[in-house]
Amino acid sequence: MIDRRAFLALAALVPFAGMRRLALAAASSNTRKLLVLVELRGGNDGLNTVVPFGDPLYARLRPRLAIARERLLDLDTHVGLHPSLAPLGEVWFAGELAVVQGVGYPDPNLSHFRSIEIWNTASSAAEYLDAGWLGRAFARFPSPERYAADGVVVGPGGMGPLAGGGRSIALNEPQQFVRNARFARDAAEPRNAALARILQVERDVLVAAGRLDRGAAVATEFPAHPFGRASQVAARLAANDAGIAVVRLSLDGFDTHANQPAVHANLLRQLSEGLCALRAALIDMGRWQSTVVATYSEFGRRPRENQSAGTDHGTANTHVVLGGAVRGGLYGSHPALDRLDANGNIAYSVDFRAYYATFLERWWGMDSRAVLGGEFTPLGFLPTFA
């Protein structure tokens, strides 16, 4: 019999979401196309990420936090990238970077916990769903059996959008994952049915772990900071022949209520360095055309700065999408700083579920209505699925 400590270690070893996939529909072979999601945890300040320098209200609302135009990388005559994102300029000028402005949803929630739950499950503000939007997608449209996993979560933060369906694995580093997964291989078969079920799951995990570990070397040099290391893991997973549809990364620290300028600049520097290294690795291995990288966050920040040189919880936000197949450019609407809501926040112009529908329909050829529970028109930053 396995003891309690071993039981708990095994149960927490690797969250595997829905080992028995629902064979309700055949998955497209194009789920070989990889989606890398990057969660900017804490609520990124979109206004100081893609800066609306062309609107004089921006500097008035942020007398201390506004970034001067001469420090920005201009995207057009109205907005520019934060200086820390300057390395992404190469991606922009290559036409491989899309900037999606005004992403949000009706009746926005300003709680970290509730709003990220809404983003993870693609629910409405008044709706509570158990499964993540990608968990539902892979339960309804499974990836081929030969795949090691539908999705891999790198780092902390739970399964997020991959929760509740499909085959998804959480890990920090592939080799460590393999070593840890061997924990229960030699455990005696328990008589308890629940424990037997856990051990069967563990064996499935072990098989996936071994497949994830094959041929994953990447020659590209990555930054030494945590997001750089996570991006390197993403590259190694992309290099794997076993097949993975989604990798979820995260970068924490964006809840910038105080002393925002230096903190935000450092976070965006880590983001741009990690993404640029990931792009270089994907180009080297021939996977850049078949990979899309996209950011998301629970909410943006309020346009008006607070008294602590920071910003408070806001609503609509700006996100970036990059990849060899991405149609670069600006999408959505510039933030309307002259038409803030009663709480002083920006109105959304792009429903976040339309953002998700773009990946589901145009990247994988899935029926987004079956996953999102409604009609959301995909955006144009990806070509029509063929």
Side-chain angles (χ1 to χ4, degrees):
M1 294 293 288
I2 189 168
D3 64 24
R4 181 177 181 274
R5 178 176 298 179
F7 172 86
L8 293 175
L10 177 58
L13 179 64
V14 178
F16 228 89
M19 291 300 302
R20 297 178 64 190
R21 294 181 294 171
L22 303 177
L24 299 177
S28 164
S29 62
N30 285 281
T31 51
R32 177 59 177 153
K33 293 178 176 179
L34 177 64
L35 172 63
V36 178
L37 288 175
V38 181
E39 180 187 353
L40 307 180
R41 299 180 68 190
N44 180 43
D45 181 16
L47 280 182
N48 270 22
T49 299
V50 179
V51 179
F53 62 79
D55 190 336
L57 287 174
Y58 166 69
R60 294 180 202 167
L61 290 166
R62 298 185 167 196
R64 291 176 293 175
L65 300 186
I67 303 173
R69 179 177 182 178
E70 57 266 23
R71 298 183 57 212
L72 304 172
L73 176 66
D74 289 5
L75 302 182
D76 67 0
T77 58
H78 193 87
V79 298
L81 285 180
H82 187 289
S84 292
L85 296 179
L88 293 178
E90 180 181 345
V91 192
W92 172 260
F93 291 116
E96 298 173 342
L97 174 64
V99 174
V100 188
Q101 302 179 100
V103 185
Y105 55 90
D107 302 316
N109 193 297
L110 301 188
S111 159
H112 289 289
F113 305 104
R114 176 57 185 149
S115 194
I116 196 60
E117 180 181 41
I118 290 169
W119 273 83
N120 282 335
T121 61
S123 71
S124 68
E127 184 181 22
Y128 291 83
L129 300 176
D130 293 329
W133 68 280
L134 287 171
R136 297 198 303 274
F138 292 120
R140 187 70 183 266
F141 304 104
S143 296
E145 286 289 343
R146 67 179 183 275
Y147 274 29
D150 294 318
V152 177
V153 173
V154 179
M159 300 307 294
L162 287 159
R167 295 181 302 147
S168 295
I169 302 168
L171 71 148
N172 285 311
E173 202 279 333
Q175 272 77 26
Q176 181 182 5
F177 176 64
V178 172
R179 289 193 298 268
N180 291 344
R182 289 173 182 151
F183 158 73
R185 180 169 58 184
D186 299 324
E189 190 71 26
R191 298 173 185 173
N192 181 286
L195 289 179
R197 168 64 178 159
I198 289 174
L199 282 178
Q200 181 58 51
V201 169
E202 186 278 333
R203 293 187 186 101
D204 292 335
V205 170
L206 182 59
V207 171
R211 298 177 67 196
L212 286 174
D213 192 49
R214 291 202 301 263
V218 174
T220 305
E221 184 175 350
F222 280 78
H225 49 67
F227 186 72
R229 291 193 293 272
S231 299
Q232 184 178 37
V233 173
R236 292 169 64 184
L237 292 169
N240 193 285
D241 291 333
I244 298 165
V246 177
V247 176
R248 203 285 301 273
L249 309 178
S250 62
L251 179 58
D252 200 359
F254 287 92
D255 196 18
T256 50
H257 287 284
N259 304 314
Q260 176 174 308
V263 173
H264 196 230
N266 181 51
L267 289 167
L268 294 182
R269 176 186 60 81
Q270 293 181 52
L271 177 67
S272 64
E273 289 174 351
L275 293 184
C276 286
L278 177 59
R279 175 177 181 258
L282 291 169
I283 289 173
D284 286 347
M285 69 180 74
R287 290 290 325 257
W288 182 236
Q289 291 293 324
S290 60
T291 301
V292 165
V293 183
T295 65
Y296 71 105
S297 191
E298 62 261 48
F299 42 60
R301 314 300 294 186
R302 193 160 293 176
R304 186 179 296 278
E305 67 181 44
N306 61 28
Q307 295 182 346
S308 302
T311 52
D312 298 322
H313 299 179
T315 52
N317 209 348
T318 297
H319 294 292
V320 297
V321 184
L322 53 158
V326 168
R327 293 173 169 174
L330 295 170
Y331 296 86
S333 301
H334 294 321
L337 299 180
D338 59 341
R339 296 193 299 275
L340 303 179
D341 66 19
N343 296 315
N345 284 314
I346 302 167
Y348 79 97
S349 60
V350 174
D351 194 296
F352 77 113
R353 289 160 291 190
Y355 186 59
Y356 289 168
T358 310
F359 304 118
L360 293 169
E361 294 202 7
R362 296 197 165 197
W363 196 233
W364 290 319
M366 296 179 181
D367 179 5
S368 68
R369 292 169 298 180
V371 176
L372 303 176
E375 186 79 40
F376 299 96
T377 303
L379 306 175
F381 59 76
L382 286 174
T384 303
F385 178 81

